[in-house]
Structures are given as structure tokens and as C-alpha cells.
Coordinates of all heavy atoms in Angstrom, one line a residue:
M153 N 0.8 -1.2 0.0 CA 0.0 0.0 0.0 C 0.8 1.3 0.0 O 0.5 2.2 -0.7 CB -0.9 0.0 1.2 CG -2.0 -1.0 1.2 SD -3.6 -0.4 0.8 CE -4.6 -1.6 1.5
P154 N 1.9 1.3 0.8 CA 2.7 2.6 0.8 C 3.3 2.9 -0.5 O 3.5 4.0 -0.9 CB 3.8 2.3 1.9 CG 3.3 1.2 2.7 CD 2.4 0.4 1.9
I155 N 3.7 1.8 -1.3 CA 4.2 2.0 -2.6 C 3.2 2.6 -3.6 O 3.6 3.5 -4.4 CB 4.9 0.7 -3.2 CG1 5.8 1.0 -4.4 CG2 3.8 -0.3 -3.6 CD1 7.1 1.4 -4.0
L156 N 2.0 2.2 -3.5 CA 0.9 2.8 -4.3 C 0.7 4.3 -4.0 O 0.5 5.1 -4.9 CB -0.4 2.1 -4.2 CG -0.5 0.7 -4.9 CD1 -1.8 0.1 -4.5 CD2 -0.3 0.9 -6.3
I157 N 0.8 4.6 -2.7 CA 0.6 6.0 -2.3 C 1.8 6.8 -2.8 O 1.6 7.9 -3.3 CB 0.5 6.2 -0.8 CG1 -0.8 5.5 -0.3 CG2 0.5 7.6 -0.3 CD1 -1.0 5.4 1.2
L158 N 3.0 6.3 -2.7 CA 4.2 7.0 -3.2 C 4.1 7.2 -4.8 O 4.4 8.3 -5.3 CB 5.5 6.2 -2.9 CG 6.8 6.7 -3.5 CD1 7.1 8.1 -2.9 CD2 7.9 5.7 -3.2
L159 N 3.7 6.1 -5.5 CA 3.6 6.3 -6.9 C 2.5 7.2 -7.3 O 2.6 8.0 -8.3 CB 3.3 4.9 -7.6 CG 4.4 3.9 -7.5 CD1 4.0 2.5 -8.0 CD2 5.6 4.4 -8.4
S160 N 1.4 7.3 -6.5 CA 0.3 8.2 -6.8 C 0.8 9.7 -6.5 O 0.5 10.6 -7.3 CB -0.9 7.9 -5.9 OG -1.4 6.7 -6.2
A161 N 1.6 9.9 -5.5 CA 2.2 11.2 -5.2 C 3.1 11.6 -6.3 O 3.0 12.8 -6.8 CB 2.9 11.2 -3.9
I162 N 3.9 10.7 -6.8 CA 4.8 11.1 -8.0 C 3.9 11.4 -9.2 O 4.3 12.3 -10.0 CB 5.8 9.9 -8.2 CG1 6.8 9.8 -7.1 CG2 6.5 10.1 -9.5 CD1 7.6 8.5 -7.1
S163 N 2.9 10.6 -9.4 CA 2.0 10.9 -10.5 C 1.3 12.2 -10.4 O 1.1 12.9 -11.4 CB 0.9 9.8 -10.6 OG 1.5 8.5 -10.9
I164 N 0.9 12.6 -9.2 CA 0.3 13.9 -9.0 C 1.3 15.0 -9.4 O 1.0 16.0 -10.1 CB -0.3 14.1 -7.6 CG1 -1.5 13.2 -7.4 CG2 -0.6 15.5 -7.3 CD1 -2.0 13.1 -6.0
I165 N 2.5 14.9 -8.9 CA 3.6 15.9 -9.2 C 3.8 16.0 -10.7 O 3.9 17.0 -11.3 CB 4.9 15.6 -8.4 CG1 4.6 15.8 -6.9 CG2 6.0 16.5 -8.9 CD1 5.7 15.2 -6.0
S166 N 4.0 14.8 -11.3 CA 4.2 14.8 -12.8 C 3.0 15.4 -13.5 O 3.2 16.2 -14.5 CB 4.4 13.4 -13.3 OG 5.5 12.8 -12.7
G167 N 1.8 15.0 -13.1 CA 0.6 15.6 -13.7 C 0.5 17.1 -13.6 O 0.1 17.8 -14.5
L168 N 0.9 17.6 -12.4 CA 0.9 19.1 -12.2 C 1.9 19.8 -13.2 O 1.6 20.8 -13.7 CB 1.2 19.4 -10.8 CG 0.1 19.2 -9.8 CD1 0.6 19.4 -8.3 CD2 -1.0 20.2 -10.1
I169 N 3.1 19.1 -13.3 CA 4.1 19.7 -14.3 C 3.5 19.7 -15.7 O 3.6 20.7 -16.4 CB 5.4 18.9 -14.2 CG1 6.1 19.2 -12.8 CG2 6.3 19.3 -15.3 CD1 7.3 18.3 -12.5
F170 N 2.9 18.6 -16.1 CA 2.3 18.5 -17.4 C 1.2 19.5 -17.6 O 1.1 20.0 -18.7 CB 1.8 17.1 -17.7 CG 2.8 16.0 -17.8 CD1 2.4 14.6 -17.8 CD2 4.1 16.2 -17.9 CE1 3.3 13.6 -18.0 CE2 5.1 15.2 -18.0 CZ 4.6 13.9 -18.0
F171 N 0.4 19.7 -16.6 CA -0.7 20.6 -16.7 C -0.3 22.1 -16.7 O -0.7 22.9 -17.4 CB -1.7 20.3 -15.6 CG -3.0 21.1 -15.8 CD1 -3.9 20.8 -16.8 CD2 -3.3 22.2 -15.0 CE1 -5.1 21.6 -17.0 CE2 -4.4 22.9 -15.1 CZ -5.3 22.6 -16.1
L172 N 0.6 22.4 -15.7 CA 1.0 23.8 -15.5 C 2.1 24.3 -16.4 O 2.2 25.4 -16.7 CB 1.4 24.0 -14.0 CG 0.3 23.7 -13.0 CD1 0.8 23.8 -11.6 CD2 -0.9 24.7 -13.2
R173 N 3.0 23.4 -16.8 CA 4.1 23.7 -17.6 C 4.3 22.7 -18.8 O 5.3 22.0 -18.9 CB 5.4 23.7 -16.8 CG 5.5 24.6 -15.6 CD 5.8 26.1 -15.9 NE 6.9 26.3 -16.8 CZ 8.2 26.4 -16.5 NH1 8.5 26.4 -15.2 NH2 9.1 26.6 -17.4
P174 N 3.3 22.7 -19.7 CA 3.4 21.7 -20.8 C 4.6 21.9 -21.7 O 5.2 21.0 -22.2 CB 2.1 21.9 -21.5 CG 1.6 23.2 -21.2 CD 2.1 23.5 -19.8
E175 N 5.0 23.2 -21.8 CA 6.2 23.5 -22.7 C 7.4 22.8 -22.1 O 8.3 22.3 -22.9 CB 6.4 25.0 -22.8 CG 5.3 25.7 -23.5 CD 4.2 26.2 -22.5 OE1 4.4 25.9 -21.2 OE2 3.2 26.8 -22.9
L176 N 7.6 22.8 -20.8 CA 8.7 22.2 -20.1 C 8.7 20.7 -20.3 O 9.7 20.1 -20.7 CB 8.7 22.5 -18.6 CG 9.8 21.9 -17.8 CD1 11.2 22.3 -18.2 CD2 9.6 22.1 -16.3
A177 N 7.5 20.1 -20.2 CA 7.4 18.6 -20.4 C 7.8 18.2 -21.8 O 8.5 17.3 -22.0 CB 6.0 18.2 -20.0
I178 N 7.3 19.0 -22.8 CA 7.6 18.7 -24.2 C 9.1 18.9 -24.4 O 9.8 18.1 -25.1 CB 6.8 19.7 -25.1 CG1 5.3 19.3 -25.0 CG2 7.3 19.6 -26.5 CD1 4.4 20.4 -25.6
E179 N 9.7 19.9 -23.9 CA 11.2 20.2 -24.1 C 12.0 19.1 -23.4 O 13.0 18.6 -24.0 CB 11.6 21.5 -23.5 CG 13.0 21.9 -23.7 CD 13.4 21.9 -25.2 OE1 12.5 22.2 -26.1 OE2 14.6 21.7 -25.5
I180 N 11.6 18.6 -22.3 CA 12.3 17.5 -21.6 C 12.3 16.2 -22.5 O 13.3 15.5 -22.7 CB 11.7 17.2 -20.2 CG1 12.1 18.3 -19.2 CG2 12.2 15.8 -19.7 CD1 11.4 18.2 -17.9
Q181 N 11.1 16.0 -23.1 CA 10.9 14.8 -24.0 C 11.8 15.0 -25.2 O 12.5 14.0 -25.6 CB 9.5 14.7 -24.4 CG 9.2 13.5 -25.3 CD 7.8 13.4 -25.8 OE1 7.0 14.4 -25.7 NE2 7.4 12.3 -26.3
R182 N 11.9 16.2 -25.8 CA 12.7 16.4 -27.0 C 14.2 16.2 -26.7 O 14.9 15.6 -27.5 CB 12.5 17.9 -27.5 CG 11.1 18.0 -28.1 CD 10.8 19.5 -28.5 NE 11.7 19.9 -29.6 CZ 11.8 21.1 -30.0 NH1 11.0 22.0 -29.5 NH2 12.6 21.4 -31.0
R183 N 14.6 16.7 -25.5 CA 16.0 16.5 -25.1 C 16.4 15.0 -24.9 O 17.4 14.6 -25.3 CB 16.3 17.3 -23.8 CG 16.4 18.8 -24.1 CD 16.7 19.5 -22.8 NE 16.6 21.0 -23.1 CZ 16.9 21.8 -22.1 NH1 17.2 21.4 -20.9 NH2 16.8 23.1 -22.4
F184 N 15.4 14.3 -24.3 CA 15.7 12.8 -24.1 C 15.8 12.1 -25.4 O 16.8 11.4 -25.6 CB 14.5 12.2 -23.3 CG 14.6 10.7 -23.3 CD1 15.5 10.1 -22.4 CD2 13.7 10.0 -24.1 CE1 15.5 8.7 -22.4 CE2 13.8 8.6 -24.1 CZ 14.7 7.9 -23.3
Y185 N 14.9 12.4 -26.3 CA 15.0 11.8 -27.7 C 16.3 12.2 -28.4 O 16.8 11.4 -29.2 CB 13.8 12.0 -28.5 CG 12.6 11.0 -28.1 CD1 11.6 11.5 -27.3 CD2 12.7 9.7 -28.4 CE1 10.5 10.6 -26.9 CE2 11.7 8.8 -28.0 CZ 10.6 9.3 -27.3 OH 9.6 8.4 -26.9
A186 N 16.7 13.4 -28.2 CA 17.9 13.9 -28.9 C 19.1 13.1 -28.4 O 20.1 12.8 -29.2 CB 18.1 15.3 -28.7
K187 N 19.1 12.7 -27.1 CA 20.2 11.9 -26.6 C 20.3 10.5 -27.1 O 21.4 9.9 -27.2 CB 20.1 11.9 -25.0 CG 20.5 13.2 -24.4 CD 20.5 13.1 -22.9 CE 20.8 14.4 -22.3 NZ 21.6 14.4 -21.2
I188 N 19.2 10.0 -27.6 CA 19.2 8.7 -28.2 C 19.2 8.7 -29.7 O 18.8 7.8 -30.3 CB 18.1 7.7 -27.6 CG1 16.7 8.3 -27.8 CG2 18.3 7.5 -26.1 CD1 15.6 7.4 -27.5
N189 N 19.6 9.9 -30.2 CA 19.7 10.1 -31.6 C 18.4 10.1 -32.4 O 18.4 9.7 -33.5 CB 20.7 9.1 -32.2 CG 21.3 9.5 -33.5 OD1 21.5 10.7 -33.7 ND2 21.6 8.6 -34.4
W190 N 17.4 10.6 -31.8 CA 16.1 10.9 -32.5 C 15.8 12.3 -32.4 O 16.0 13.0 -31.4 CB 15.0 10.1 -31.8 CG 14.8 8.7 -32.2 CD1 15.7 7.9 -32.8 CD2 13.6 7.9 -32.1 NE1 15.2 6.6 -33.0 CE2 13.9 6.6 -32.6 CE3 12.4 8.2 -31.6 CZ2 13.0 5.6 -32.6 CZ3 11.4 7.2 -31.7 CH2 11.7 5.9 -32.2
R191 N 15.2 12.8 -33.5 CA 14.7 14.2 -33.4 C 13.2 14.2 -33.6 O 12.7 13.6 -34.5 CB 15.3 15.0 -34.6 CG 14.9 16.5 -34.6 CD 15.5 17.3 -35.7 NE 16.9 17.2 -35.5 CZ 17.8 17.1 -36.6 NH1 17.3 16.9 -37.8 NH2 19.1 17.0 -36.4
I192 N 12.5 14.8 -32.6 CA 11.1 14.8 -32.7 C 10.6 16.3 -32.7 O 11.2 17.1 -32.1 CB 10.4 14.1 -31.5 CG1 10.7 14.6 -30.2 CG2 10.7 12.6 -31.6 CD1 9.9 14.2 -29.1
E193 N 9.6 16.5 -33.5 CA 9.1 17.9 -33.6 C 7.5 17.7 -33.7 O 7.0 16.9 -34.5 CB 9.5 18.6 -34.9 CG 11.0 18.8 -35.0 CD 11.5 19.9 -34.2 OE1 10.7 20.9 -34.0 OE2 12.6 19.9 -33.8
P194 N 6.8 18.4 -32.9 CA 5.4 18.4 -33.0 C 4.9 19.0 -34.3 O 5.5 20.0 -34.7 CB 4.9 19.2 -31.8 CG 6.0 19.5 -30.9 CD 7.3 19.2 -31.7
I195 N 3.9 18.4 -34.9 CA 3.4 19.0 -36.1 C 2.7 20.3 -35.8 O 2.8 21.3 -36.5 CB 2.4 18.0 -36.8 CG1 3.2 16.8 -37.3 CG2 1.7 18.7 -38.0 CD1 2.4 15.7 -37.8
S196 N 1.9 20.3 -34.7 CA 1.2 21.5 -34.3 C 1.5 21.7 -32.8 O 1.0 20.9 -32.0 CB -0.3 21.3 -34.5 OG -1.0 22.4 -33.9
M197 N 2.2 22.7 -32.5 CA 2.6 23.0 -31.1 C 1.3 23.3 -30.2 O 1.2 22.8 -29.1 CB 3.6 24.1 -30.9 CG 4.1 24.3 -29.5 SD 4.9 22.8 -28.8 CE 6.5 23.0 -29.4
P198 N 0.3 24.1 -30.7 CA -0.9 24.3 -29.9 C -1.6 23.0 -29.5 O -2.1 22.8 -28.4 CB -1.7 25.2 -30.7 CG -0.8 25.9 -31.6 CD 0.3 25.0 -31.9
K199 N -1.7 22.1 -30.5 CA -2.3 20.8 -30.2 C -1.5 20.0 -29.2 O -2.0 19.3 -28.3 CB -2.5 20.0 -31.5 CG -3.6 20.4 -32.4 CD -3.8 19.5 -33.5 CE -5.0 19.8 -34.4 NZ -5.1 18.9 -35.6
E200 N -0.2 20.0 -29.4 CA 0.7 19.3 -28.5 C 0.6 19.8 -27.0 O 0.5 19.0 -26.1 CB 2.2 19.4 -28.9 CG 3.1 18.5 -28.2 CD 2.9 17.0 -28.4 OE1 2.4 16.7 -29.5 OE2 3.3 16.2 -27.6
I201 N 0.5 21.1 -26.9 CA 0.3 21.7 -25.6 C -1.0 21.3 -25.0 O -1.1 20.9 -23.8 CB 0.5 23.2 -25.6 CG1 2.0 23.6 -25.9 CG2 0.0 23.9 -24.4 CD1 2.3 25.0 -26.1
R202 N -2.1 21.4 -25.8 CA -3.4 21.0 -25.3 C -3.4 19.6 -24.9 O -4.0 19.2 -23.8 CB -4.4 21.3 -26.4 CG -5.9 21.0 -26.0 CD -6.8 21.0 -27.1 NE -6.6 19.8 -27.9 CZ -6.6 19.8 -29.3 NH1 -6.8 20.8 -29.9 NH2 -6.3 18.6 -29.9
N203 N -2.8 18.7 -25.7 CA -2.8 17.2 -25.4 C -2.0 17.0 -24.1 O -2.3 16.1 -23.3 CB -2.3 16.4 -26.5 CG -3.3 16.4 -27.7 OD1 -4.5 16.7 -27.5 ND2 -2.8 16.1 -28.9
T204 N -0.9 17.7 -23.9 CA 0.0 17.5 -22.8 C -0.8 17.9 -21.5 O -0.7 17.3 -20.5 CB 1.3 18.3 -22.9 OG1 1.9 17.8 -24.1 CG2 2.2 18.0 -21.7
K205 N -1.5 19.0 -21.6 CA -2.3 19.5 -20.5 C -3.4 18.5 -20.1 O -3.6 18.2 -18.9 CB -2.9 20.9 -20.8 CG -2.0 22.0 -20.6 CD -2.8 23.3 -20.8 CE -2.0 24.5 -20.3 NZ -2.8 25.7 -20.2
A206 N -4.1 17.9 -21.1 CA -5.1 16.9 -20.9 C -4.5 15.7 -20.2 O -5.1 15.1 -19.3 CB -5.8 16.6 -22.2
M207 N -3.3 15.3 -20.7 CA -2.7 14.1 -20.1 C -2.3 14.4 -18.7 O -2.5 13.5 -17.8 CB -1.4 13.8 -20.9 CG -0.7 12.5 -20.4 SD 0.8 12.1 -21.3 CE 1.8 13.6 -21.3
G208 N -1.9 15.6 -18.3 CA -1.6 15.9 -17.0 C -2.8 15.9 -16.1 O -2.7 15.4 -15.0
L209 N -3.9 16.4 -16.6 CA -5.1 16.4 -15.8 C -5.6 15.0 -15.6 O -6.0 14.7 -14.5 CB -6.2 17.3 -16.5 CG -7.5 17.6 -15.8 CD1 -7.2 18.3 -14.5 CD2 -8.4 18.3 -16.6
F210 N -5.5 14.2 -16.6 CA -5.9 12.8 -16.5 C -5.1 12.1 -15.4 O -5.6 11.3 -14.6 CB -5.8 12.1 -17.9 CG -6.1 10.6 -17.8 CD1 -7.4 10.2 -17.8 CD2 -5.1 9.7 -17.9 CE1 -7.7 8.8 -17.7 CE2 -5.4 8.4 -17.9 CZ -6.7 7.9 -17.8
L211 N -3.8 12.3 -15.5 CA -2.9 11.7 -14.5 C -3.2 12.1 -13.1 O -3.2 11.3 -12.1 CB -1.4 12.1 -14.9 CG -0.3 11.3 -14.3 CD1 -0.4 9.8 -14.6 CD2 1.0 11.9 -14.8
I212 N -3.5 13.4 -12.9 CA -3.9 13.9 -11.5 C -5.1 13.2 -11.0 O -5.2 12.7 -9.9 CB -4.0 15.4 -11.6 CG1 -2.7 16.1 -11.8 CG2 -4.7 15.9 -10.3 CD1 -2.8 17.6 -12.2
V213 N -6.1 13.2 -11.9 CA -7.4 12.5 -11.5 C -7.3 11.1 -11.2 O -7.7 10.6 -10.1 CB -8.5 12.7 -12.6 CG1 -9.7 11.9 -12.4 CG2 -8.9 14.2 -12.8
I214 N -6.5 10.3 -12.0 CA -6.3 8.9 -11.7 C -5.5 8.7 -10.4 O -5.9 7.8 -9.6 CB -5.6 8.2 -12.9 CG1 -6.5 8.2 -14.2 CG2 -5.1 6.8 -12.6 CD1 -7.8 7.4 -14.0
A215 N -4.5 9.5 -10.2 CA -3.8 9.4 -9.0 C -4.6 9.7 -7.7 O -4.5 8.9 -6.7 CB -2.6 10.3 -9.0
F216 N -5.4 10.7 -7.8 CA -6.3 11.0 -6.6 C -7.3 9.9 -6.4 O -7.6 9.5 -5.3 CB -7.1 12.3 -6.8 CG -6.3 13.5 -6.3 CD1 -6.0 14.6 -7.2 CD2 -5.9 13.6 -5.0 CE1 -5.3 15.7 -6.7 CE2 -5.2 14.7 -4.5 CZ -4.9 15.7 -5.4
L217 N -7.9 9.3 -7.5 CA -8.8 8.2 -7.4 C -8.1 7.0 -6.8 O -8.7 6.3 -6.0 CB -9.4 7.9 -8.7 CG -10.4 8.9 -9.3 CD1 -10.9 8.5 -10.7 CD2 -11.6 9.1 -8.4
T218 N -6.9 6.8 -7.1 CA -6.1 5.7 -6.5 C -5.9 5.9 -5.0 O -6.1 4.9 -4.3 CB -4.7 5.5 -7.3 OG1 -5.0 5.3 -8.7 CG2 -3.9 4.4 -6.7
I219 N -5.6 7.1 -4.7 CA -5.4 7.3 -3.2 C -6.7 7.2 -2.5 O -6.7 6.6 -1.4 CB -4.8 8.7 -3.0 CG1 -3.3 8.8 -3.5 CG2 -4.8 9.2 -1.6 CD1 -2.7 10.1 -3.5
I220 N -7.8 7.7 -3.0 CA -9.1 7.6 -2.4 C -9.4 6.1 -2.2 O -9.9 5.6 -1.2 CB -10.2 8.3 -3.1 CG1 -9.9 9.8 -3.0 CG2 -11.5 8.0 -2.7 CD1 -10.7 10.7 -3.9
S221 N -9.2 5.3 -3.3 CA -9.5 3.9 -3.3 C -8.7 3.2 -2.2 O -9.2 2.3 -1.5 CB -9.2 3.3 -4.6 OG -9.3 1.9 -4.6
I222 N -7.4 3.5 -2.1 CA -6.6 2.9 -1.0 C -7.1 3.2 0.4 O -7.2 2.3 1.2 CB -5.1 3.4 -1.2 CG1 -4.5 2.9 -2.4 CG2 -4.3 3.1 0.1 CD1 -3.2 3.6 -2.8
F223 N -7.5 4.4 0.6 CA -8.0 4.7 2.0 C -9.4 4.1 2.2 O -9.7 3.8 3.4 CB -8.0 6.3 2.2 CG -6.7 6.8 2.4 CD1 -6.1 7.8 1.5 CD2 -5.9 6.4 3.4 CE1 -4.9 8.3 1.7 CE2 -4.6 6.9 3.7 CZ -4.1 7.9 2.8
I224 N -10.2 4.0 1.2 CA -11.5 3.3 1.4 C -11.3 1.9 1.7 O -12.0 1.3 2.6 CB -12.4 3.5 0.1 CG1 -12.9 5.0 0.1 CG2 -13.6 2.6 0.2 CD1 -13.6 5.3 -1.2
K225 N -10.4 1.2 1.0 CA -10.2 -0.2 1.2 C -9.5 -0.5 2.6 O -9.6 -1.5 3.1 CB -9.3 -0.8 0.1 CG -10.1 -1.0 -1.2 CD -9.2 -1.6 -2.2 CE -10.0 -1.7 -3.5 NZ -9.2 -2.3 -4.6
A226 N -8.7 0.5 3.1 CA -8.0 0.4 4.4 C -9.0 0.4 5.6 O -8.6 -0.1 6.6 CB -7.0 1.5 4.5
R227 N -10.2 0.9 5.4 CA -11.1 0.9 6.5 C -11.6 -0.5 6.8 O -11.9 -1.4 6.7 CB -12.3 1.8 6.2 CG -11.9 3.2 6.2 CD -13.2 4.0 6.0 NE -12.8 5.4 6.1 CZ -13.7 6.4 6.1 NH1 -14.9 6.1 6.0 NH2 -13.3 7.6 6.2

């Protein structure tokens, strides 16, 4: 159980970064791929930012639901 709470907390932090700073998340991904000799470019940056924000929000919601589920089952 503690590992699920830890993973959920990490997911919430990641989701907040994706939602609040999508440009940073995209740049981190681009740098990672450059290190393994791949170049990636979004076709449409506004769509990429919108999708990254949506992914962050989804991650936050799922992590909160996981934490709530853990505490409900612990009773």
C-alpha cells in the first residue's frame, strides 16, 4: 500500500508539471530523444500543448482516485 501512495504522489507531481508547464514537459521529452539520436518535432505545437495539459489532468485525476481507493479499502 505505501508504494501505491508513493507512486500516486509522484503521478500527481508529474501531472501538475504536465498541466501547469506543458512546454517544459515537451522540451524534456525532446532532449531525451535527442540523446538517443532521435529528433522529434510536434506538427502542431498548440495541439501538443493542449494534449499534454489533458494528459496531466488525467494523470492527476487517476492518482487522486487511486489514493481515495486505497483509503476506502483500508477501512
Side-chain angles (χ1 to χ4, degrees):
M153 294 252 204
I155 194 82
L156 283 177
I157 294 173
L158 176 64
L159 290 174
S160 295
I162 292 169
S163 296
I164 290 170
I165 292 168
S166 299
L168 283 171
I169 291 171
F170 290 169
F171 185 74
L172 298 174
R173 301 281 312 272
E175 299 88 0
L176 176 63
I178 293 166
E179 185 59 29
I180 290 170
Q181 182 184 16
R182 289 174 68 184
R183 288 181 186 179
F184 170 76
Y185 279 106
K187 287 184 183 216
I188 60 171
N189 202 29
W190 274 24
R191 182 178 301 135
I192 60 168
E193 298 283 331
I195 294 172
S196 170
M197 188 57 88
K199 281 185 179 180
E200 188 69 24
I201 289 172
R202 184 191 69 222
N203 291 341
T204 302
K205 282 185 164 191
M207 180 177 59
L209 189 60
F210 178 75
L211 196 55
I212 292 167
V213 169
I214 293 298
F216 271 123
L217 290 175
T218 302
I219 290 172
I220 291 169
S221 171
I222 291 168
F223 285 120
I224 288 173
K225 287 182 181 179
R227 287 185 176 187

